[in-house]
Amino acid sequence: MKKLLLIFAMIFTPGFSLTFAEEHTKMDIRYKQTWWDGEINYVDISYIDNFVSVTADNNESELFIRLNAPSVDYPQSPYDSLRASYTRFGKFYPTFYSDTGTFSDFCYGDQGAPESEIEKKYVYKASEEDVRLLFRKIADSFRNKFLNCEKEYDMIMLSRFCELLPAFTKSQLRILRNTIYANHGYTFKATDLNDIFKECSWYEVDRYFHEYNFTEKERVYLTLIKQAEENTK
């Protein structure tokens, strides 16, 4: 009975979010890379769930999503995720191979990939801000690389999105669906969604918001996402 009351209180407490109530493990790894000519650089990666954020020496962060599951039983530990490869969210390439800390070979030209070794590794419970930041990055990437891509790439990106759909969790699908609404200035009543989108540079509240302003492309994505949500536990 106490458990039922607790769940009821959690759901109906203002500002409480089931998304952030979930436990998310974060793992930070720094790879030391030694190139064929002796040059050394570093790649920092942060894992949360099925996503990894990769930051190289230029300090530009790229978001990657895991498509192929490692050969271990679910749920996976963050160490198990190192056996998987990741593909850049919103683009076809490169693929990031987390077991070696390198990208797909074509990125390196004729000399091939550098030798990589793990220099530092930290594993800890992800904070709410960590999760918010990940969801914000997912929203930014989805809007910029799929919803706002150039028209001649619409069908390519739509096909790519269909490949990615099975990789998303239910909470991530919720972010994708609401990104379409945020793109048109919807005012969110859910505290967690408001906290995520208010920090997106492109989000601007439109008090005249209406779904009839959605583009045909956005409606297609919305339908796909809703179907995926219905089929995801």
Side-chain angles (χ1 to χ4, degrees), residues 35-51:
W35 293 82
W36 60 276
D37 61 356
E39 182 182 348
I40 294 175
N41 72 317
Y42 297 90
V43 174
D44 293 305
I45 66 175
S46 292
Y47 295 85
I48 298 182
D49 301 331
N50 55 335
F51 273 88

Side-chain angles (χ1 to χ4, degrees), residues 31 35 92 132 134 137 145 156 160 174 192 198 207 213:
Y31 281 100
W35 293 82
F92 290 101
R132 267 195 293 268
L134 171 64
K137 286 183 176 181
K145 297 175 182 178
I156 295 175
R160 182 60 169 161
R174 176 174 174 252
D192 63 325
K198 73 180 182 182
R207 64 177 187 163
N213 289 322

Side-chain angles (χ1 to χ4, degrees), residues 69-185:
S71 55
V72 293
D73 294 331
Y74 188 86
Q76 299 142 356
S77 74
Y79 294 104
D80 294 327
S81 71
L82 285 172
R83 303 174 192 170
S85 61
Y86 292 73
T87 186
R88 185 182 285 176
F89 181 48
K91 295 182 181 179
F92 290 101
Y93 299 105
T95 297
F96 179 74
Y97 300 105
S98 51
D99 56 339
T100 59
T102 57
F103 296 93
S104 43
D105 287 341
F106 84 94
C107 293
Y108 303 106
D110 296 335
Q111 301 300 333
E115 293 183 6
S116 296
E117 58 181 301
I118 294 177
E119 186 170 83
K120 296 178 182 178
K121 180 187 292 185
Y122 303 100
V123 182
Y124 49 95
K125 180 181 176 182
S127 67
E128 288 190 8
E129 183 51 40
D130 289 328
V131 180
R132 267 195 293 268
L133 180 59
L134 171 64
F135 287 165
R136 207 172 295 141
K137 286 183 176 181
I138 292 173
D140 282 340
S141 294
F142 178 51
R143 175 185 181 268
N144 297 334
K145 297 175 182 178
F146 291 93
L147 300 182
N148 290 355
C149 71
E150 295 180 13
K151 193 169 183 178
E152 59 264 36
Y153 297 111
D154 277 351
M155 293 308 297
I156 295 175
M157 297 309 292
L158 184 60
S159 174
R160 182 60 169 161
F161 186 74
C162 290
E163 293 177 18
L164 297 177
L165 266 178
F168 292 109
T169 65
K170 201 172 186 72
S171 58
Q172 292 164 1
L173 289 167
R174 176 174 174 252
I175 298 301
L176 294 174
R177 170 167 50 84
N178 281 286
T179 299
I180 297 173
Y181 286 81
N183 200 32
H184 290 271

